[in-house]
Amino acid sequence: MDIYSKHDIEELLQGNPYVGRGILIGRTEDGRHAVSAYFIMGRSDNSRNRVFVERDGAVFTEPYDPSRVEDPSLIIYAAVRSYSNHLIVTNGDQTDTVYDGLRAGMSFHHALSSRCFEPDYPNLTPRISGMLTFDSGDFSYEMSILKSLDAEGSACARYGFSYPSQPGLGHFLHTYVGDGDPLPTFQGEPERVKLEDDIDTLTDRLWRALDADNRISLYVRYTDLSSGSYTSRIINKNKE
């Protein structure tokens, strides 16, 4: 068993009907770009009634049809925000928690210490988060998963990971192992994946690998490490 192997993202996702929400962070093979990606999936009408919208460098989940919204909590939030030399990506309103924490002088993990898994019993969906920190043409990144200690939701277990960026290597964190009732929570460290140099190739492969019935939206951003500028792609199933 090679614990340092890098998975192909399509092979990792294909055949899995429901990995929930996912964050992918890493560096392109040529070393020139920082990669950050976030996707959402959904099984209920309320969850599926969403699109990604990008405004001023931030990404938000918004209702596709506002008249059909049943409960905006846990599904409507800022998924991507920037602060100073940091790019924050999360699967919930803890994006704002990290943003406010950074402004107050906290670290990524310190800011998240005030949060726990989502109150959606019996699934007890983990809160997954990532943050890229840019510095003089280079970057490092951190990831976090906050999940229930047991099936009853009696306490929160907190796991944090910190990575230097390496060409061609990404780390992938998602909320669920697969489909189920209740949904089985992600286990272990973020998964190691290979990253392409071309944003359209990665976007296409990610979207294609997600289950066609349950995928909702995908956002991919490539940040040029020499200039700080970025290119992004959004796919919304509701707008295809």
Side-chain angles (χ1 to χ4, degrees), residues 117-232:
F117 52 87
E118 295 180 357
D120 60 342
Y121 184 85
N123 294 317
L124 306 172
T125 299
R127 290 191 186 273
I128 57 173
S129 308
M131 186 176 78
L132 297 79
T133 300
F134 298 95
D135 183 21
S136 302
D138 202 355
F139 77 103
S140 58
Y141 54 102
E142 299 166 89
M143 303 184 88
S144 164
I145 181 167
L146 311 177
K147 59 184 184 178
S148 180
L149 191 63
D150 52 37
E152 291 70 42
S154 65
C156 182
R158 306 172 186 279
Y159 302 87
F161 308 90
S162 299
Y163 302 103
S165 64
Q166 299 253 325
L169 174 64
H171 286 90
F172 178 44
L173 184 59
H174 45 98
T175 51
Y176 310 122
V177 174
D179 207 352
D181 189 16
L183 289 161
T185 295
F186 180 89
Q187 300 290 310
E189 295 183 20
E191 295 162 323
R192 295 165 57 93
V193 298
K194 296 179 287 188
L195 290 179
E196 288 85 354
D197 292 337
D198 179 66
I199 186 172
D200 290 314
T201 300
L202 179 62
T203 301
D204 178 68
R205 296 183 76 236
L206 257 174
W207 186 248
R208 190 170 59 213
L210 294 171
D211 183 83
D213 291 331
N214 293 319
R215 65 190 181 190
I216 300 172
S217 296
L218 168 65
Y219 177 79
V220 181
R221 178 185 293 201
Y222 273 40
T223 302
D224 188 309
L225 294 172
S226 62
S227 68
S229 63
Y230 71 88
T231 302
S232 63

Side-chain angles (χ1 to χ4, degrees), residues 36-38 52 54 59 80 218-221 230 232-234:
S36 48
Y38 177 58
F52 281 169
E54 187 173 17
V59 178
V80 179
L218 168 65
Y219 177 79
V220 181
R221 178 185 293 201
Y230 71 88
S232 63
R233 300 287 186 267
I234 289 179

